[in-house]
């Protein structure tokens, strides 16, 4: 995950005798704008180890033909993005779930971990953590960055239909996927309150 929070975990957990293993994507190294972060990288998985942590870097590919094929009509593209939340597909333009699931499923079947920390957004990483932690019986920790704020509770007192539609499925799947978390952390008190009101789960503000 490209996040200062994850970097901080990687650099500081060793102080508490915790040796983290980080799973992220390959980066090209010249990402400056949002479109740069969406570019594919087909390098094979690599592993880097040091005294503080281990990093696995995985290939990254665009989610689907709808994201790749610019000849698909605008109405079909809109329909595709409209249906996705209803079936639990979020942030498909940065779909860590699709890119990481098979590798992690195979890795976890052969390696034991005491806990799994998921940093989100994107929302699909929460789905990834929920499914893998449940399957392999690993305690799940969700660390939710403050840019999540407003994704569970409308910022406008009179949201339009589109906002209500996406909020409904955001909340529905949040309740489902957050349920498996043993611990939820955030740095935002308002976000912690949103999580509590929507999922019933108490988030710890750090």
């Amino acid at each position: 995950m490209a996040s200062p929070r994850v970097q901080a975990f990687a650099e500081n957990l060793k102080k508490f005798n915790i040796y983290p293993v980080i799973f992220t994507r390959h980066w090209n190294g010249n990402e400056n704008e949002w479109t740069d972060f969406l570019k594919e990288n087909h390098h094979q998985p690599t592993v880097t180890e040091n005294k503080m942590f281990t990093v696995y870097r995985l290939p990254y590919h665009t989610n689907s033909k709808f994201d790749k094929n610019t000849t698909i009509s605008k109405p079909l593209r809109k329909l595709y993005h409209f249906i996705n939340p209803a079936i639990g597909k979020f942030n498909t333009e940065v779909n860590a779930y699709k890119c990481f699931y098979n590798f992690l499923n195979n890795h976890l079947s052969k390696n034991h971990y005491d806990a799994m920390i998921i940093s989100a957004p994107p929302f699909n990483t929460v789905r990834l953590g929920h499914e893998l932690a449940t399957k392999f019986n690993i305690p799940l920790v969700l660390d939710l960055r403050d840019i999540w704020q407003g994704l569970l509770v409308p910022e406008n007192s009179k949201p339009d239909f589109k906002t209500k539609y996406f909020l409904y499925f955001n909340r529905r799947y949040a309740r489902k996927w957050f349920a498996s978390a043993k611990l939820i952390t955030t740095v935002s008190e308002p976000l912690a309150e949103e999580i509590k009101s929507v999922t019933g789960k108490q988030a710890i503000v750090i």
Side-chain angles (χ1 to χ4, degrees), residues 1-10 22 24 27 37 119-122 143-145 147:
M1 323 297 174
S3 165
R5 189 92 59 86
V6 176
Q7 183 177 349
F9 287 153
I22 314 297
T24 186
W27 298 99
F37 291 94
S119 181
D143 179 63
L144 305 179
R145 303 193 299 282
I147 53 176

Side-chain angles (χ1 to χ4, degrees), residues 21-26 43-48 54-61 96-111 113 116 128 132 135-136:
V21 179
I22 314 297
F23 295 88
T24 186
R25 54 161 289 188
H26 278 295
H43 291 164
Q44 291 301 302
T46 62
V47 186
T48 304
T54 294
V55 180
Y56 284 80
R57 293 180 174 86
L58 308 180
Y60 175 76
H61 48 84
Y97 179 90
K98 184 173 182 179
C99 292
F100 291 5
Y101 184 88
N102 288 338
F103 182 93
L104 289 174
N105 185 57
N106 181 61
H107 180 86
L108 291 171
S109 69
K110 301 174 183 177
N111 298 274
Y113 290 92
M116 178 187 298
L128 178 70
L132 291 173
K135 180 175 182 177
F136 293 100

Side-chain angles (χ1 to χ4, degrees), residues 24-38:
T24 186
R25 54 161 289 188
H26 278 295
W27 298 99
N28 296 317
N30 58 350
E31 291 85 4
N32 293 308
E33 300 178 357
W34 177 244
T35 53
D36 296 332
F37 291 94
L38 305 182

